[in-house]
């Protein structure tokens, strides 16, 4: 059974940093695209970042470029999102979502972790 | 950036009725269009990918169609558990984008 479990969310002040993690199990982690998708309170879904299976390619939405870094550890079956210079508008539930071996269709989702940016 | 526009914003129907949800892209996404369902307090769930392919475990009452810029998600006969928010998503171009969602509510 595919499982994705996010952690690392919490309350942080504007300008602060946070590192999210996603622990994966039930599939060969190193073979799949994996992404972060967020959802602000009461709002729709927004794609944040994606990373290729071998980590060689990383893609970001413009609003987080230069502030967020996606990475993965295939030996530990883990995905990360380093978030710096956080803003109020980054407040959201952050979901880890698994794609395909060659696609960014979000086949599986974690339950999400809440990030709140507020003073 | 490809903008996806979903209509209607809210659709009010009764169980047993047919639901037709629309997603229009600002430029062609070929067939690289997916649909997700999200219920309150839950993560989204993939329903349809590449326009018309049902994801694993998705009932046959869900179907997708379209190409290029105009896409449709059809639920042939609504079950009580189908009332939720539905999003379309394109993977044709970076950045990946979602529509703003259609809320399907019980009439």
């Amino acid at each position: 059974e595919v499982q994705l479990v996010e952690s690392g969310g919490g309350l942080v002040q504007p300008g602060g940093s946070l590192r999210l993690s996603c622990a994966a199990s039930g599939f060969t982690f190193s073979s799949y695209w994996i992404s972060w998708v967020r959802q602000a309170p009461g709002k729709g879904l927004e794609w944040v970042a994606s990373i290729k299976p071998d980590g060689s390619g990383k893609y970001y939405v413009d609003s987080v470029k230069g502030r967020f870094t996606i990475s993965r550890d295939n030996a530990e079956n883990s995905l990360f999102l380093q978030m710096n210079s956080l803003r109020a508008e980054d407040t959201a539930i952050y979901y880890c979502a698994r794609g395909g071996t060659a696609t960014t269709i979000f086949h599986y989702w974690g339950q999400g972790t809440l990030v709140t940016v507020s003073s | 950036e490809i903008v996806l526009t979903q209509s209607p914003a809210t659709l009010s129907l009764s169980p047993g009725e047919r639901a037709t949800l629309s997603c229009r892209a600002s430029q062609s996404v070929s067939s690289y269009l997916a649909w997700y369902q999200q219920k309150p307090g839950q993560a989204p769930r993939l329903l349809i990918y590449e326009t018309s392919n049902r994801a694993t475990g998705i009932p046959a009452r869900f179907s997708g169609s379209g190409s290029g810029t105009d896409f449709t998600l059809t639920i042939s006969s609504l079950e009580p558990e189908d009332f939720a928010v539905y999003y379309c998503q394109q993977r044709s171009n970076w950045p990946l984008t979602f529509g703003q969602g259609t809320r399907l509510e019980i009439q």
Side-chain angles (χ1 to χ4, degrees):
Chain A
E1 179 192 5
V2 172
Q3 286 200 326
L4 300 166
V5 180
E6 302 92 338
S7 61
L11 175 63
V12 61
Q13 292 188 338
S17 298
L18 215 52
R19 188 190 195 214
L20 305 185
S21 300
C22 172
S25 60
F27 63 100
T28 304
F29 183 75
S30 59
S31 295
Y32 291 88
W33 282 79
I34 195 155
S35 304
W36 291 99
V37 177
R38 67 185 178 184
Q39 186 169 36
K43 302 297 184 183
L45 301 171
E46 180 184 36
W47 168 75
V48 175
S50 296
I51 187 167
K52 285 187 173 182
D54 64 0
S56 63
K58 303 176 184 182
Y59 303 83
Y60 301 91
V61 68
D62 280 352
S63 61
V64 309
K65 281 180 183 175
R67 301 188 300 123
F68 290 11
T69 302
I70 189 172
S71 62
R72 63 191 297 162
D73 183 338
N74 285 345
E76 295 294 327
N77 294 340
S78 294
L79 173 73
F80 306 101
L81 186 67
Q82 178 65 44
M83 303 187 295
N84 299 330
S85 303
L86 282 160
R87 306 167 180 167
E89 55 264 36
D90 296 318
T91 294
I93 296 172
Y94 284 73
Y95 295 103
C96 169
R98 198 207 83 176
T101 55
T103 73
T104 46
I105 302 162
F106 304 124
H107 287 270
Y108 296 95
W109 298 66
Q111 283 306 300
T113 187
L114 177 62
V115 173
T116 303
V117 184
S118 175
S119 55
Chain B
E1 171 178 323
I2 296 176
V3 176
L4 299 178
T5 302
Q6 292 186 239
S7 61
T10 303
L11 184 58
S12 299
L13 294 170
S14 300
E17 291 193 291
R18 181 184 188 90
T20 303
L21 287 67
S22 175
C23 177
R24 176 164 289 178
S26 59
Q27 64 188 77
S28 176
V29 299
S30 185
S31 63
Y32 301 130
L33 196 287
W35 292 92
Y36 301 84
Q37 177 194 66
Q38 188 178 32
K39 297 179 181 179
Q42 295 186 14
R45 175 175 71 148
L46 176 66
L47 298 175
I48 301 287
Y49 63 96
E50 313 300 47
T51 298
S52 59
N53 296 283
R54 275 190 302 277
T56 304
I58 300 305
R61 65 180 181 273
F62 291 91
S63 64
S65 63
S67 68
T69 61
D70 289 294
F71 299 87
T72 301
L73 173 69
T74 300
I75 310 172
S76 59
S77 178
L78 285 165
E79 297 287 341
E81 62 267 27
D82 298 336
F83 292 91
V85 179
Y86 293 82
Y87 296 95
C88 56
Q89 176 243 330
Q90 65 81 23
R91 70 170 189 90
S92 175
N93 281 35
W94 300 102
L96 307 180
T97 51
F98 289 89
Q100 82 280 15
T102 289
R103 180 178 303 277
L104 179 55
E105 63 177 27
I106 299 176
Q107 187 170 53

